[in-house]
Amino acid sequence: MDRLLQDLRYALRRLSKRPGFTLIAVLSLALGIGANTAIFSLVQAVLLRDPPIAEPDRVVEVYQSSPDHSYMPFSIPDFRDFQRATDRVFSSSHGSGLTVVPRELGDRVESLVGEMVTGDYFSTLGLVPAAGRLLGRNDDVSPGGHAVIVLSYDYWTRAYQRDPAAIGQDLRINGRNYTIVGVTPRVYAGALRGLAPAVYVPIMMINQLQPAVDDQLASRGDHGTFVRARLRPGVTRAQADAAIAAFATDMRVRHRDNWPQNGQMHTIALSDLIVNPMLDRFIILAAGLLTIVVGLVLLIACANLASFLLAQARDRQREIAIRLAIGASRGGLVRQLLTESVALSLVGCVVAVGLAKLLLWSLLNADLALPLPVTIDATLNPTVLGFALAVSIVAGLLFGLAPALQATRADVISTIKNENTGGGPTRRITLRSSLVVGQVAVSLVLMVTAGLFLRSMSARQTIDPGFGNAPTALLQFSASAEKYNEAEALLLVKQLEERIAQLAGVQAVGVTGNLHLNTLNTSNTPINVAGFEPPKGENGFLVDRTQVDAGFFDAAGIPIVRGRNFNESIDRPGSPSVAIINQVMADRFWPGQDPIGRTFRGDTTITIIGVARNAKIRTLGEEARSFIYVPLSQRPTYFLTLLARSTGNAESLVPQVLTAAREVDRDLIIVEAKTMDRHLAIMLLPARLAAVVFGAFASLALVIALVGVYGVVSYAVSRRMREVGIRMSLGARPVQVVRLLMRDGFTLVGIGGAIGIALALLTAQVLQSVLYGVEPIDPLTFTVGPALLLAVGALAAWIPARKASRVDPARVLVSER
């Protein structure tokens, strides 16, 4: 330990005497380690933490599946049947669903993520309250009769500063007071990672929280309830799967119209889930790509460290030879040199932790235009800090070993005799040169990858969604089912539209029950068309649909290309059911024919009165899909989105629309107010994030690699200054000297670039499935990336060469004497 401390003190003294070298090495390492630490923190928060519940491996999530809906949640009645049919294999089970609830705070509204839960929710998970009590079976008895609420620990902290007196107070949401009865434990953040609810309410209040025409507690068509169950002691997963299969068979017989006839049921251990089976593969892919990218950045940074240490080792050959000559052991010198490299990496680790905190703050506080707030506890906890420390120590030891071994391998006698240890011929291919070639190659791979994602994002931005091209304000709201009946709710909507239409610049106003490209909700219905046989095992063709009024098409910018629009005086409640279909559906079922007047069968016989232009329904990159618009007057709903198309600025229109809505009904439940651009931005978010993240890390890698190029050329120039002085004394021009000194550095960039292009070609093929609108071998990307690399590499080589060409030959020769 005494020797180690002595080596450490000596290492710190040497680093302090070379501040330029130390600063560049520390920053290079800090960038690489900081990026890795930040990403590891995210990965640990999302992928590596066990669910904070008792025996998570004994808890399973249960899903229905069918060819059209893989891993589909349950309806509430289906869950109740499941609970009764499987109580022999599960000790308890629960259902839950996410919602957004507006909390009324005087003259403003705070949108909260809420989770609606059945009575066994908290007992199934084995949770205990931080304060008060949690919801139980007594809160899961009477529809609409349990106006109680449990706060999350985080929201209790933010809104009530952990005041125990909050228990028993009222919290007003959706126009109704709910009594706070408890607080969840601090470690629990809801059923879905990243979407931490602020409040938990009994699912018996779903009709009050999400007003709808149909009773959602009785409807089997609403599949929004996620089911978890805890295995009884001694029961295996195989036994549970057998019981679930028997339940599914029984449901197919008893509820043929509402249960997938050729579907299966799946159980997945909670410990094997991240968020949802449908999303997990994308999360793992994204995490894997990020980990590889930041790992490459760290590799480039460590290569710089090795390169710097190799240069330093060469300069210290005479010192080390003398120490060996007077009796120092090679092992002791290697230990000392490794101590220096580890000390350097540990200083880099300290800086890296600060950079990681800054990067995490930037990522978690970015305005991502998400429909729900994402909450990830990606703090720099002891595990993350331990990771940073371990990476730093390993980097220092691993990449300091080769320089230490090379420095102590000197021929003692010849090195001591050679006063100019920096002179003499050098090898064309050195370890330092190889490191620079590798850095440049990896940087080019990252640059090409970033370019492909950037081009993919650009291609997605040019997609015409088929609606919302004009400045438009959106208002998601819900009328209170307790305050308005269906007819009164329709009258309220009309009054709201008339009031907003009076705002300056508003050209058209309309409403819809479910706006296109809504990531949180899709509604479909099975239909049958004469002359077409449904898919095998299915009751009909599943087609997406929504309710709209006559003003929707003009407000959304979706023209009706054939037939007529809805008319409230004709398409009244009780009159024959009508619909407007899109062009895709017309071409699919009535190719080359006029679909106006044709009928199809849903829950009733529906007559087609119009055909609308196609619009994107679920995703921007989807193939065109069939869609049905039904009149709001015939199928009313309490939850609506209002569109106000304007000639002016949509951002400034949003608060005006919100104020106007409050003037019509101060108790109107406002869920969200935003612009159409912000709504559409959600679809572009994955591509935009990929382009930004890969672009940022590619730029970082390029900077670190070019520091390496600069270092190699600078070091080579410093060792050839005597040669430069002689050449210039004999009449060499500065441009010739610059060309000579740049040649080696530029050659390394060229070799690295060639290798990088080959690797980038392979990487592009792997990424083909996640790119849109761009070929993997994109000519523009594969031209601009290498050209930029060569240009910046040439600059990194030119700067030290240019500086050397300006020296006074006489002074150089005198100093080298």
Side-chain angles (χ1 to χ4, degrees), residues 751-801:
I751 296 172
I755 297 172
I757 289 175
L759 294 175
L761 289 170
L762 296 176
T763 304
Q765 296 298 330
V766 175
L767 295 174
Q768 184 173 6
S769 61
V770 296
L771 299 175
Y772 176 85
V774 59
E775 293 297 324
I777 313 303
D778 179 51
L780 181 62
T781 302
F782 276 85
T783 300
V784 173
L788 178 61
L789 180 70
L790 290 175
V792 181
L795 179 64
W798 176 82
I799 292 173

Side-chain angles (χ1 to χ4, degrees), residues 5 70 218 240 307 330 353 372 394 411 457 520 531 557 606 611 614 708 725:
L5 292 175
S70 296
S307 181
R330 188 184 182 198
V353 169
L372 292 176
V394 170
D411 184 340
M457 182 191 73
L520 294 180
I606 301 172
V611 178
N614 295 331

Side-chain angles (χ1 to χ4, degrees), residues 127-287:
L127 301 175
V128 295
R133 70 172 180 88
L134 301 177
L135 301 177
R137 292 184 178 181
N138 291 335
D139 302 305
D140 195 21
V141 179
S142 305
H146 302 278
V148 292
I149 197 166
V150 168
L151 306 180
S152 71
Y153 189 93
D154 179 65
Y155 190 68
W156 182 46
T157 301
R158 286 189 289 117
Y160 295 93
Q161 294 75 49
R162 302 181 198 169
D163 184 359
I167 308 301
Q169 294 184 21
D170 285 341
L171 187 148
R172 188 171 182 82
I173 57 174
N174 274 33
R176 181 169 183 165
N177 288 331
Y178 287 73
T179 302
I180 300 171
V181 296
V183 178
T184 62
R186 183 174 189 170
V187 295
Y188 187 69
L192 296 178
R193 297 188 197 187
L195 291 175
V199 295
Y200 299 81
V201 291
I203 207 166
M204 280 293 169
M205 305 300 294
I206 187 172
N207 290 321
Q208 287 69 39
L209 294 169
Q210 295 180 339
V213 174
D214 298 328
D215 181 1
Q216 297 173 80
L217 292 171
S219 172
R220 293 186 183 270
D222 180 15
H223 293 271
T225 302
F226 292 86
V227 173
R228 288 177 175 177
R230 181 177 290 277
L231 293 169
R232 286 188 179 277
V235 175
T236 65
R237 281 277 300 280
Q239 292 172 313
D241 289 340
I244 288 173
F247 163 73
T249 301
D250 179 58
M251 293 294 284
R252 279 194 288 269
V253 174
R254 291 196 296 120
H255 302 287
R256 181 176 179 81
D257 292 339
N258 294 289
W259 195 269
Q261 294 302 300
N262 60 349
Q264 302 294 324
M265 294 193 70
H266 300 275
T267 61
I268 304 174
L270 193 61
S271 55
D272 294 336
L273 279 170
I274 302 170
V275 175
N276 176 277
M278 298 287 286
L279 297 175
D280 283 2
R281 62 173 179 261
F282 298 108
I283 294 173
I284 292 172
L285 174 62

Side-chain angles (χ1 to χ4, degrees), residues 12 57 100 163 183 188 292 314 329 386 703 755 780:
L12 293 176
D57 56 321
V100 178
D163 184 359
V183 178
Y188 187 69
I292 291 172
R314 190 177 181 100
S329 68
V703 169
I755 297 172
L780 181 62

Side-chain angles (χ1 to χ4, degrees), residues 361-385:
W361 182 88
S362 301
L363 289 173
L364 297 178
N365 290 277
D367 183 8
L368 300 180
L370 292 171
L372 292 176
V374 173
T375 305
I376 299 176
D377 182 20
T379 55
L380 297 183
N381 55 46
T383 301
V384 176
L385 294 176

Side-chain angles (χ1 to χ4, degrees), residues 368-371 457 460-474 476 515-519 555-558 615-622 641 643 650-651 672 674-688:
L368 300 180
L370 292 171
M457 182 191 73
R460 288 180 183 274
Q461 286 181 318
T462 61
I463 298 174
D464 181 8
F467 71 99
N469 293 320
T472 305
L474 304 180
Q476 286 186 334
L515 185 58
H516 298 323
L517 299 179
N518 183 349
T519 56
I558 302 176
K616 300 295 183 181
I617 308 302
R618 296 189 181 184
T619 67
L620 284 173
E622 70 187 8
T641 298
L643 296 80
E651 286 284 355
E672 188 177 19
K674 60 184 178 181
T675 64
M676 179 69 77
D677 286 344
R678 192 168 180 83
H679 174 75
L680 296 176
I682 296 171
M683 290 291 106
L684 293 171
L685 181 61
R688 185 171 293 158

Side-chain angles (χ1 to χ4, degrees), residues 294-374:
V294 295
L296 292 175
V297 172
L298 177 61
L299 188 62
I300 295 172
C302 289
N304 264 1
L305 172 65
S307 181
F308 297 151
L309 292 175
L310 282 168
Q312 184 175 249
R314 190 177 181 100
D315 289 339
R316 295 177 65 184
Q317 281 182 344
R318 192 164 187 272
E319 172 205 338
I320 291 173
I322 293 173
R323 295 176 69 180
L324 288 170
I326 62 177
S329 68
R330 188 184 182 198
L333 290 176
V334 169
R335 185 188 67 240
Q336 181 184 311
L337 293 174
L338 285 178
T339 301
E340 290 183 25
S341 64
V342 171
L344 196 63
S345 63
L346 289 177
V347 175
C349 177
V350 174
V351 180
V353 169
L355 291 176
K357 292 183 70 172
L358 179 62
L359 181 57
L360 282 173
W361 182 88
S362 301
L363 289 173
L364 297 178
N365 290 277
D367 183 8
L368 300 180
L370 292 171
L372 292 176
V374 173

Side-chain angles (χ1 to χ4, degrees), residues 486-667:
E486 292 180 16
E488 291 169 340
L490 289 174
L491 181 60
L492 172 67
V493 170
K494 187 175 181 179
Q495 293 172 346
L496 187 60
E497 289 182 313
E498 290 174 350
R499 174 66 185 87
I500 291 175
Q502 297 172 5
L503 297 176
V506 173
Q507 290 185 313
V509 181
V511 295
T512 175
N514 186 24
L515 185 58
H516 298 323
L517 299 179
N518 183 349
T519 56
L520 294 180
N521 184 35
T522 57
S523 177
N524 52 46
T525 184
I527 67 166
N528 286 280
V529 180
F532 288 85
E533 190 69 25
K536 185 178 180 180
E538 294 296 325
N539 300 321
F541 298 93
L542 277 177
V543 179
D544 290 346
R545 72 167 185 181
T546 189
Q547 308 99 313
V548 301
D549 69 351
F552 167 79
F553 296 97
D554 193 16
I558 302 176
I560 295 175
V561 297
R562 189 179 303 168
R564 70 172 178 86
N565 197 348
F566 295 130
N567 188 318
E568 292 181 6
S569 62
I570 301 174
D571 308 316
R572 301 185 306 273
S575 62
S577 298
V578 296
I580 295 173
I581 63 174
N582 68 351
Q583 189 66 55
V584 175
M585 183 169 171
D587 294 339
R588 178 183 181 185
F589 293 109
W590 298 278
Q593 305 174 52
D594 185 359
I596 305 302
R598 305 275 185 164
T599 63
F600 60 88
R601 181 76 186 174
D603 49 2
T604 62
T605 298
I606 301 172
T607 302
I608 299 170
I609 63 170
V611 178
R613 188 184 67 186
N614 295 331
K616 300 295 183 181
I617 308 302
R618 296 189 181 184
T619 67
L620 284 173
E622 70 187 8
E623 295 293 331
R625 58 193 303 137
S626 300
F627 198 81
I628 299 170
Y629 302 93
V630 296
L632 181 65
S633 55
Q634 291 187 339
R635 296 179 181 272
T637 179
Y638 287 94
F639 188 87
L640 293 165
T641 298
L642 181 143
L643 296 80
R645 180 168 60 85
S646 171
T647 57
N649 182 276
E651 286 284 355
S652 60
L653 181 60
V654 169
Q656 298 178 53
V657 169
L658 188 59
T659 300
R662 287 293 188 205
E663 291 174 356
V664 173
D665 181 2
R666 65 175 302 275
D667 295 325

